[in-house]
Amino acid sequence: MAPITMIEGIRQAMFEEMDRDAAVVAIGEDIGVYGGAFKATEGLIAKFGRERVIETPISETAIVGAACGMSFLGLRPVAEMQFIDFIACCFNQVTNFVAKSHYLWGAPVPMVIRGPSGGGVHGGPFHSANPEMYFMHTPGLKIIYPSTPSDAKGLLKSAIRDNNPVLFFEHKFLYRRIKEEVPEGDYLVPIGKAIVRREGADLTIISYAAMAHTSMEAADQLAKEGIDAEVIDLRTLLPLDRETILTSVKKTNKLLIVHEDTRTGGIAGEIAAIVCESAFEDLDGPIARVTALDTPVPYAPTLEERFLPNTEKVVVAARELAKY
Amino acid sequence: MNHPLTREQHLELYYFMQLNRQLEERMVRLFRQNKIVGGLYSSLGQEAVSVGTCYALEKKDWIAPMIRNIGALLVKGVPPRDIFTQHMAKYTSPTQGKDGTSHFGDLKVRNIVSPISMLGDLIPVMTGVAMAGRYLGQNIVALTWIGDGGSSTGAFHEGLNLAAQQRAPFVLIVENNQWAYSTPVSRQVPVKNLADRAVAYGIRSWIVDGNDVLAVYNAAKEAVDECRAGRGPALIEVKTMRMRGHAQHDPAEYVPKQMFEYWKARDPIVLYEKYLSENKIWDSKTKSEIDARIERELDVEQKFAEESPMPPPELAEEGVYCDGCHEIEAAWQRPKAELMPPACSIEPGWQVKDYGAFAEVEAIKKQIAAPIVSSGGNGSKVAKPVVKHSGKPPQKPAVRVMEPETPEVPRVPFGRGPKDKSVREVPNPRDRHQNPRDKRGRR
C-alpha cells in the first residue's frame, strides 16, 4: 500500500467505520459539502448522505449534546470540533453530562469528539491549543493523541467502537508532514497502550503527538554523543499505560518527559508522581521535563518558537540528566 | 383542538397529580426527620405541568425530566420507591446512591434521560435523542422541560436552534414557575412571555395555563402530534407558580404574600377536583378510593425505601467506564440499507434560496410566521402563540407584547457615569423608529 498522511488515515478510518456500521454518524460544522476545515471528512457526505453526515450551526454545546443524545439510542456519533480549542465552548456538556453518565446512572456514551490541536503552524492563541489536561482530570473520558498515520487510523477506529466517550486529538502540524504505510485490512490499535518507539539503555524520554517526533530526533542526536535514549510514545493519555512507563524507567533509571502542553499541570507532573510512587528507588536522577511555557500560545513565529519545545531543548535537558 | 379523554384517563390524571403531591409531602416529612440525605426540591403547585405534558406522550417517547418533574416520572411508570430511595441515597435506588433527587434515567425500558443540575444541557441532548429516533425510523418524540431561569442559558439557545435547524421531533416545555431561585421572571428576561422567543427560532409555540391539567395536556398533545407528523420542534410555555422555596432550606420570604395567595386559590389539584365533580366524572366515593389507594401504595414504597441499606463504600470506585457491562445495539425500525451506500449517497452542494437577498427577507419572514399564527388572526405581522384553555374560569389572558419595552433604567455604557454628556444625550430608542430612513437602514 502507498504511504498516506495522517489526515488521510483519519479520513480512511471514518469511511471504513461508516461503511461497516450504519450506527456510525458524523456531526459537526462544515464537515459535509466543504469536507471540514482540514478536509478530514472530504467526500464523506457524497458517499453517506445528509442523514449520516450532519452539518450543524456553530454550536459546540449543541453538537456534543446532540451527539450524546444520539448515543443513548445506540448510535455512535463522531463529533468534529473545527479546532479543538473550541471544545472549551462545550466544556460543561463534556465534563458534566457526557463523562459522568455511565458512573451516575449507568448510561454508556459511545461517542467520539475529534479535532485538530496543537501548535507550530502559527495558528495563534485560539487555534493552537493542547487542552488535553482539562479532560485528563475528568473521570469517565478516554483521551487519545496519536503521532503517526497508522496510529491515527487504528486508534480512531477503536475509539468509534469503544463504549465510552473518547476525545481524539489530532495534531495539525502532523496532518500532512509525515507519511507512512498503514497496514491493510481492518486495522485497529488498542486504546490504553503506549509504544516504545526506540529502545535505549541510558534514559527514558516519554512523549506523545508532535513531541514524539521531536523526541525521536533528539534521541538520534543524543546517540551521536553516546547517550542511548529510549523513547516512549504514549498514544493514549487516559487511561495512562503505567506498565510501559514503569518498565522503561526501571530499565534506564532516568526519566525525561516532553510535552507541547504548558508546564504547570501538564501530564509530566502526573507521570512524575506515578514514577515517584512506584519506582522511586529505581531513579538515578531527578525527573526532568521539557514543556511549553506557561503562557498562551503566541502568534509571531519568533514568539511561538520560544514558546514550544524543540529538539535542541530536549537534547540539552537529556544531556544534563545523563550526567547523573 | 380538544383531545377527548375517557373517564379512566380523567381519573388517571388525578391519580398521578395526587400521587405526585402525596409522595412529595411524605418526603418533606422524611426531610424533617433527617432521612433525606441532600436537598429536597418541591413541585408543589406544578403537578399539572409534569403530569399533563407527560400524559400526552406514547410509551416509546423519550423524556428528560427536571428536578420538579417527579410527576412526569410517575406517568412514565417509575415506581415511587425509586424517588424515595434516590432522595435517601439508598443502594436500592436507580443510581445505587451515586446521585440523588430525580437524577436518574432508564435507557432500556422507560426511555428516560437523567437530568443534571446544569440548566439547559438537556435541550441539545434531547434534540439528539429526537434526531436518533428519526434516524432509526422509530417515529418517537423527545420532550424535556426548562424553567424560566434555565431559559437564559446558552445551551437553551444552541439546543433549540439546532432542533429547529434539524426539524427535530422535539418538544420543549418552558415551565414558567415565576421564580429562578429568588429572582422573579421580570428581572431575568425583557419579554413578557417566554414563548415569544420561539418566533426567533422559526418554530411553533403555545402559551398555556399551567394549573389547568387538561389545558396542559391538550397543548402538549397538539405539540407532540405536530412533531410526530414531522412538523417539529415545538415550544410550550406553561405559566404556573412554585409554591415553596427553591429547596427545603429556603422559606421564600422574597415572594410577595399576595402572590402566594393568588396562586393558592388556583391550586391545580383543587381546580381539577372541582372540574371532575362539576362534570360528574366522579363522585366523592371514587375520590376516596383513589386517595386510599395512593396512601396504601406509598406506605409500601416508603417502607421499602426506609428499610433499604446504604451503598457499600467500595461501590464508589466502580462504574466510571463501560468495560463491556453494556451491550449497545440500536433498535432499528427501518432498513439499514437505506442509510448505506449507494442508497444514501448524494450529489453534495448547497442551494441558497434567493441568494440571501434583502428583497426577499419580508417574504421569508411571512413564511416563518405564518404557521405559528393560529389564533387571534388579526393580521398582525408578529406571530402569535396559541393560548390554550380548557374552558374554566379564565386566568389573566396571555397577551403578546409587540414591541420591546424601554428599560426602566437608562443603560449607561461601561465605565461612564450618568453625568457624562454623551450618556445624557443618548436619544430615546423609540425616536429612531419615527424616521423611516433609519428604520430602513436597520437590519
Side-chain angles (χ1 to χ4, degrees), chain A residues 118-129:
Chain A
V121 296
H122 316 313
F126 305 112
H127 292 75
S128 307

Side-chain angles (χ1 to χ4, degrees), chain B residues 64-81:
Chain B
M66 295 280 285
I67 199 115
R68 299 185 210 283
N69 297 121
I70 281 172
L73 290 172
L74 298 171
V75 173
K76 263 285 182 189
V78 171
R81 68 177 56 189

Side-chain angles (χ1 to χ4, degrees), chain B residues 132-322:
Chain B
R134 179 172 61 192
Y135 184 82
L136 295 165
Q138 295 174 346
N139 200 21
I140 57 157
V141 172
L143 181 147
T144 189
W145 296 259
I146 187 78
D148 43 294
S151 74
S152 295
T153 61
F156 174 97
H157 168 69
E158 286 198 19
L160 205 48
N161 187 56
L162 179 69
Q165 180 249 3
Q166 290 288 327
R167 300 265 167 247
F170 166 66
V171 180
L172 180 61
I173 310 294
V174 180
E175 189 164 4
N176 180 353
N177 69 6
Q178 315 297 334
W179 297 92
Y181 208 140
S182 74
T183 309
V185 183
S186 57
R187 287 292 175 173
Q188 302 169 49
V189 296
V191 289
K192 278 260 169 65
N193 299 301
L194 295 164
D196 291 359
R197 294 190 158 164
V199 179
Y201 299 101
I203 65 174
R204 292 194 105 187
S205 67
W206 290 257
I207 294 174
V208 66
D209 173 5
N211 285 24
D212 177 344
V213 70
L214 293 176
V216 172
Y217 166 77
N218 275 315
K221 185 81 173 69
E222 210 166 305
V224 167
D225 288 349
E226 282 291 296
C227 285
R228 212 184 301 281
R231 292 188 292 271
L235 182 151
I236 304 175
E237 179 187 0
V238 281
K239 290 182 189 289
T240 181
M241 171 69 182
R242 193 191 76 202
M243 295 301 281
R244 289 217 169 102
H246 174 65
Q248 277 297 312
H249 64 270
D250 168 20
E253 282 156 352
Y254 43 81
V255 178
K257 270 211 177 80
Q258 297 85 336
M259 190 169 179
F260 272 135
E261 282 159 18
Y262 171 83
W263 285 97
K264 195 166 180 212
R266 308 212 51 265
D267 181 278
I269 296 184
V270 174
L271 282 184
Y272 189 54
E273 287 176 350
K274 222 171 119 197
Y275 172 88
L276 292 175
S277 301
E278 279 172 4
N279 289 278
K280 302 196 167 38
I281 295 169
W282 72 356
D283 51 26
S284 57
K285 187 166 162 271
T286 316
K287 175 178 159 52
S288 353
E289 276 168 13
I290 297 174
D291 290 349
R293 178 185 153 202
I294 288 170
E295 285 308 303
R296 266 199 319 275
E297 287 173 1
L298 288 178
D299 279 344
V300 175
E301 300 289 278
Q302 185 179 336
K303 186 161 179 282
F304 170 85
E306 289 199 61
E307 287 172 356
S308 287
M310 283 284 170
E314 57 271 21
L315 182 72
E317 298 178 23
E318 292 169 21
V320 174
Y321 292 99
C322 171

